[in-house]
Amino acid sequence: MSNGFDSSSGNAKMDLKTDYGAADYHTAAPRMSTEDNADHFLESLGYKPELSRNRSTAQVAFMSFVLASIPYGLATTLLYPMIGGGSVVVIWGWVLVSVIIVCVAASLGEITSVYPTAGGVYYQAFMLAPARWRRIASWVCGWLYVVGNITITLAVNFGTALFFIGCINVFDKGLDAEGKPIPMIEGTSWQQFLIFLAITILCNLVSSLGNKYLPWIDTAAIFWTFAGVIAITITVLVMAKAGRNSASYVFGHFETESGWPKGWSFMVGLLHAGYATSSTGMIISMCEEVQEPATQVPKAMVATIFINTFAGLLFLIPLMFVMPAAEVAAIIASGQPVPYIIKAAVGSAGGAIGLLIPLMVLALICGIGCTTAASRCVWAFARDGAIPGSKWWVQVNRKLDVPLNAMMLSMVVQIVLGVINFGSAVAFNAFSGVGVICLTASYATPIAINMMTGRRKVADALFPLGKFGYVANAIAVAWSLLALPLFCMPTNYPVTEITAVNFASVVFAAAMAISALWYIVWGHRNYAGPPVQEHEHTQ
């Protein structure tokens, strides 16, 4: 058995074959029996265990739920389907994307049951790819995964800042000369950035200093979520001060405000659901803190999608029933539809803020969960030497039991990218768009490789898909191919001002350029990929 990878040195120690230009020697992961210790299993994959395994199956499922944080994840991006077509896009877009994400989660779960490491999809891409392509496949996938984790965490915290402003503005300072409410907070770029900065720092403090308590926070979050959703559902449906819409309106009314053709407008509105479900594979980065990762993580990923779908419908359908249909333009202009709709339904600012508090708390818990997962992703990729300055980022703080340096790197990058907000009125669109694009593409990479190589290396997976495997894999890859151009599109067309441009493609291109440059300067000579060992398939 290998001594594994020691992050204190920043170098991978590999046994047996390390010439990746040679013929593919069909690396396969060993099978983990009930007697095997998860840490020994990790060592057999080539890594030294360094993080505490303090999460049960239920707790990892709860964290997976927290990463999506339905209904908060749907609340912050409800603007997009409202512009894209209204309640039809809100409801049916959510259902459509949820079905697709089940295929993504199942496909990733099957692969993760064979290769359960914090490296996640980039490690899996390396192990599944033919020998001559595995280094570049791992490199590209790894950078997509890292950029996706960081930018989606940025989007969550920035979205929380915008959502907090919207929630506070259910109160007002009175009416202006035109009879419109004067907001409590104007929501200037500086205000947005400072609130985002405070939230980001808070999430990093809790994630680093309270690491041992995070599983309990995740557990409490799921009960808090359903209590909050039930309270919102019952209250708005019973009170409905602005009236109730018909079922035909809620499930069948389509009216685009985007300027795009109807079909494409519907598709652009899917950013709402795509953003809320983009965290699906982020939980893989927690594999080295789970007691039985080969079975717990796949089950958690798939089960969470069904929980999220139910919670999302329980949240969205009542809102569409009580939404003031005649005030759609005002709802869109507010920038935050959920506070507007809830206030209209209950008829008072005090009642609205009472119902919004559960979502505000869940927003912070989501930020903490994403911060935690992103730090593990950065740490794992640095552990294999793929990030400049890896020797710094691989250090684990033994007192806190967290990769603190990697967490700080992620935080600094988020804050620097947050400055985009000063030059774009739709910066959140860019952050959420590039996060969804990168994560979706990183998930699709090992899935596509697995499918193109005949799914041979998952033949004895502990979470097998069987005959459904090819279908699930194909749907997952197709979704990724659609997401890349789709989420680079501006919400409204035509674009008449530079501040309305979706900068997702710019951020994405910049990240890939840095990745390519680092590969040319350093990677092609020094990056060997994750440490591996040759194993026999044990049928």
Side-chain angles (χ1 to χ4, degrees):
M1 182 173 291
S2 166
N3 291 328
F5 180 94
D6 187 350
S7 68
S8 63
S9 65
N11 297 309
K13 301 175 183 177
M14 288 179 276
D15 291 332
L16 303 176
K17 301 183 181 182
T18 56
D19 183 4
Y20 303 119
D24 186 356
Y25 51 84
H26 303 294
T27 303
R31 303 294 92 212
M32 181 166 60
S33 68
T34 54
E35 291 80 14
D36 287 331
N37 179 275
D39 285 343
H40 292 162
F41 183 67
L42 181 63
E43 288 178 338
S44 73
L45 293 178
Y47 292 111
K48 176 183 176 182
E50 297 189 80
L51 302 175
S52 299
R53 297 184 181 273
N54 60 350
R55 295 179 185 266
S56 64
T57 301
Q59 288 170 334
V60 75
F62 294 159
M63 181 177 179
S64 185
F65 179 85
V66 163
L67 288 173
S69 285
I70 307 301
Y72 160 72
L74 295 174
T76 55
T77 52
L78 190 62
L79 180 67
Y80 301 125
M82 290 298 298
I83 295 174
S87 59
V88 163
V89 187
V90 172
I91 303 299
W92 297 115
W94 173 241
V95 172
L96 173 62
V97 173
S98 294
V99 171
I100 294 171
I101 298 301
V102 168
C103 297
V104 176
S107 299
L108 287 177
E110 181 181 46
I111 300 171
T112 300
S113 72
V114 180
Y115 305 112
T117 78
V121 289
Y122 87 84
Y123 180 91
Q124 296 164 0
F126 181 88
M127 300 300 282
L128 292 168
R132 63 180 298 184
W133 300 111
R134 55 169 43 117
R135 282 201 305 158
I136 190 65
S138 173
W139 182 276
V140 172
C141 184
W143 273 90
L144 287 170
Y145 193 46
V146 168
V147 172
N149 269 264
I150 292 175
T151 53
I152 210 68
T153 304
L154 163 62
V156 166
N157 290 336
F158 197 88
T160 298
L162 299 179
F163 185 66
F164 277 19
I165 292 172
C167 291
I168 294 170
N169 282 338
V170 296
F171 298 96
D172 58 62
K173 298 178 180 179
L175 302 178
D176 61 17
E178 298 178 357
K180 296 180 180 180
I182 301 173
M184 297 293 291
I185 300 179
E186 293 183 11
T188 63
S189 296
W190 272 108
Q191 290 171 334
Q192 292 173 1
F193 182 79
L194 290 176
I195 295 173
F196 154 73
L197 185 62
I199 291 170
T200 299
I201 293 173
L202 174 64
C203 289
N204 279 270
L205 284 173
V206 175
S207 181
S208 58
L209 301 180
N211 181 58
K212 65 180 179 180
Y213 302 110
L214 295 185
W216 299 106
I217 293 176
D218 296 338
T219 302
I222 195 166
F223 296 103
W224 176 268
T225 297
F226 278 97
V229 169
I230 292 171
I232 292 171
T233 299
I234 294 174
T235 304
V236 299
L237 288 178
V238 169
M239 299 187 72
K241 297 289 187 179
R244 299 179 182 87
N245 298 312
S246 65
S248 61
Y249 177 89
V250 171
F251 297 106
H253 181 74
F254 181 88
E255 184 177 356
T256 177
E257 304 285 342
S258 68
W260 290 106
K262 289 184 177 180
W264 191 247
S265 184
F266 178 93
M267 301 301 286
V268 173
L270 295 181
L271 177 59
H272 172 239
Y275 168 73
T277 56
S278 61
S279 63
T280 298
M282 289 174 67
I283 194 66
I284 303 174
S285 293
M286 303 302 294
C287 274
E288 294 175 33
E289 296 170 66
V290 177
Q291 295 164 6
E292 297 177 12
T295 54
Q296 289 175 320
V297 173
K299 289 178 181 177
M301 276 197 294
V302 175
T304 302
I305 304 304
F306 291 100
I307 298 173
N308 285 344
T309 302
F310 173 72
L313 292 175
L314 186 63
F315 176 67
L316 293 173
I317 292 176
L319 289 182
M320 294 300 100
F321 268 106
V322 302
M323 177 182 67
E327 300 177 29
V328 170
I331 291 172
I332 292 173
S334 73
Q336 289 293 330
V338 170
Y340 189 106
I341 294 171
I342 290 179
K343 182 180 179 180
V346 301
S348 71
I353 199 67
L355 293 177
L356 289 168
I357 285 175
L359 300 183
M360 296 172 75
V361 173
L362 185 60
L364 295 176
I365 296 175
C366 178
I368 294 167
C370 289
T371 296
T372 303
S375 68
R376 292 350 182 234
C377 167
V378 173
W379 169 74
F381 203 39
R383 182 171 60 175
D384 291 324
I387 298 179
S390 291
K391 67 178 182 179
W392 297 101
W393 319 129
V394 297
Q395 300 298 322
V396 174
N397 186 299
R398 300 301 176 186
K399 184 176 180 180
L400 299 176
D401 196 26
V402 297
L404 187 61
N405 291 357
M407 186 180 292
M408 294 301 100
L409 173 63
S410 175
M411 182 183 73
V412 169
V413 172
Q414 291 169 46
I415 293 172
V416 170
L417 287 176
V419 175
I420 291 176
N421 184 55
F422 293 105
S424 172
V426 289
F428 175 68
N429 201 351
F431 303 149
S432 55
V434 76
V436 173
I437 290 167
C438 288
L439 286 176
T440 304
S442 72
Y443 301 159
T445 303
I447 296 172
I449 295 172
N450 185 37
M451 186 169 59
M452 290 187 294
T453 54
R455 294 173 43 82
R456 293 189 306 273
K457 294 185 180 180
V458 296
D460 54 349
L462 296 179
F463 188 81
L465 297 184
K467 295 180 179 179
F468 178 64
Y470 276 109
V471 175
N473 295 167
I475 292 174
V477 173
W479 169 243
S480 177
L481 293 175
L482 174 63
L484 183 57
L486 185 63
F487 299 137
C488 287
M489 296 294 172
T491 306
N492 294 286
Y493 181 83
V495 176
T496 57
E497 298 179 0
I498 188 66
T499 55
V501 172
N502 184 348
F503 285 97
S505 57
V506 177
V507 177
F508 177 77
M512 292 303 97
I514 293 172
S515 167
L517 179 62
W518 184 237
Y519 189 79
I520 293 171
V521 172
W522 183 89
H524 78 285
R525 293 193 308 270
N526 299 287
Y527 179 66
V532 296
Q533 297 186 77
E534 184 175 8
H535 294 285
E536 299 290 336
H537 273 290
T538 55
Q539 303 291 344

